[in-house]
Amino acid sequence: MFTKAIVRTPSKSIVDGITSANLGKPVYEKALAQHADYVEALIECGLDVTILAAEEDYPDACFVEDVALMTPHCAIITNPGAESRKGETQSMIATVEDFYDRVEFIEAPGTVEAGDIMMVGEHYYIGLSDRTNGIGAMQMINYLEKHGMSGSTVNMSEMLHLKTGLSYLENNHLLATGEFVSKPEFEKYDMLEIPSEEEYAANSVWVNDTVLTPKGFPQAKAIIEKTGYKIREIDVSEFQKLDGGLSCLSLRF
Ligand code: GLY
């Protein structure tokens, strides 16, 4: 069960966020409204939500998931692989230290964005992406082991982050699309395959037996409904324009 979440209000500079999506620029006012509904959904799931102020210097800073990994035993501040995002960690440190006594740090030349990390109980899968390198992943695994957990790396080549195409929905349910569907390390899970035309919805989030899923993906919704969880749809079209998924918008712990 999760009890808390941290989010960051989108900044006006969100229009300058990194993107490969070709969906146009996000509309700031619409992003704000969608973000407010996202916060409401987290509250509906029973979470205490800490809302951090917008950071105009960092257009992608609302994607807070990338800058920290919050585990039950420690928090790890990452070192984002995207140059324009490295500074996002600075203001997150004090917030994380409000919640955790044990805080570790990924150090250069290691890079990690925690959108590349999927938690399954006490084990953490770490995608080796353009944003997370092998040195960063090894630092992360060492910290996880130091605090009684474990980690392993996943080779990947098609997606921005591991969780762009993969979401663990607890009770052995694994939502997957594209290259992740056939990976041997995920064979032991009950695979819920999301078709490529709805791949964006492979990034959905389990929060206390509700699955938050992006609005507008009916096939994915029908597939997730098979789990028996309650489903809460959220329109996140403005964040999709920046390659950002639902999970990217919060730290849940
Ligand atoms: N726009 C989100 C990212 O590229 O990290």
Side-chain angles (χ1 to χ4, degrees):
M1 297 287 280
F2 295 117
T3 58
K4 301 180 189 71
I6 296 170
V7 301
R8 185 181 293 287
T9 304
S11 56
K12 292 194 178 86
S13 61
I14 192 171
V15 295
D16 297 320
I18 308 169
T19 185
S20 65
N22 225 3
L23 295 171
K25 283 187 183 291
V27 176
Y28 168 64
E29 291 77 12
K30 207 168 163 189
L32 276 186
Q34 292 181 351
H35 195 263
D37 187 45
Y38 182 88
V39 170
E40 183 58 35
L42 294 174
I43 293 169
E44 288 168 21
C45 293
L47 305 191
D48 277 337
V49 183
T50 299
I51 304 176
L52 304 176
E55 286 205 306
E56 289 299 335
D57 289 346
Y58 298 104
D60 289 294
C62 60
F63 300 118
V64 285
E65 180 179 60
D66 292 320
V67 298
L69 183 72
M70 315 288 259
T71 82
H73 310 291
C74 67
I76 300 150
I77 301 290
T78 69
N79 178 27
E83 275 307 310
S84 67
R85 302 200 57 189
K86 287 191 188 296
E88 291 177 29
T89 55
Q90 283 315 304
S91 64
M92 185 57 79
I93 294 170
T95 303
V96 167
E97 286 176 344
D98 282 344
F99 293 101
Y100 284 86
D101 293 331
R102 297 193 282 190
V103 180
E104 309 279 6
F105 294 85
I106 300 296
E107 307 282 359
T111 65
V112 172
E113 294 187 6
D116 279 317
I117 305 184
M118 182 176 75
M119 176 181 79
V120 178
E122 298 276 286
H123 186 77
Y124 293 77
Y125 292 98
I126 306 170
L128 297 175
S129 70
D130 287 347
R131 303 286 182 88
T132 294
N133 64 21
I135 298 171
M138 285 319 300
Q139 290 178 26
M140 183 61 75
I141 291 170
N142 287 339
Y143 287 138
L144 291 168
E145 290 179 350
K146 174 180 166 185
H147 294 282
M149 299 168 283
S150 60
S152 58
T153 55
V154 179
N155 290 317
M156 55 181 283
S157 60
E158 290 176 5
M159 309 212 184
L160 173 61
H161 288 133
L162 182 77
K163 283 186 291 189
T164 304
L166 200 61
S167 304
Y168 186 62
L169 302 183
E170 302 299 318
N171 297 303
N172 219 48
H173 299 301
L174 187 66
L175 210 56
T177 196
E179 64 186 310
F180 299 122
V181 171
S182 55
K183 293 236 176 250
E185 56 262 64
F186 300 129
E187 270 173 8
K188 62 185 171 191
Y189 298 108
D190 299 326
M191 186 73 70
L192 298 165
E193 184 175 347
I194 302 297
S196 58
E197 62 272 23
E198 294 202 0
E199 66 178 13
Y200 181 69
N203 180 282
S204 291
V205 182
W206 177 96
V207 186
N208 303 344
D209 287 349
T210 295
V211 177
L212 309 181
T213 193
K215 191 173 175 186
F217 299 88
Q219 294 180 68
K221 186 178 177 217
I223 290 165
I224 297 167
E225 268 166 355
K226 290 182 195 154
T227 62
Y229 295 130
K230 183 177 168 190
I231 293 183
R232 168 66 151 89
E233 290 180 287
I234 309 173
D235 187 355
V236 282
S237 63
E238 301 316 291
F239 303 99
Q240 185 180 5
K241 290 175 180 173
L242 297 185
D243 305 324
L246 270 176
S247 71
C248 310
L249 288 170
S250 62
L251 290 162
R252 304 157 299 280
F253 54 106

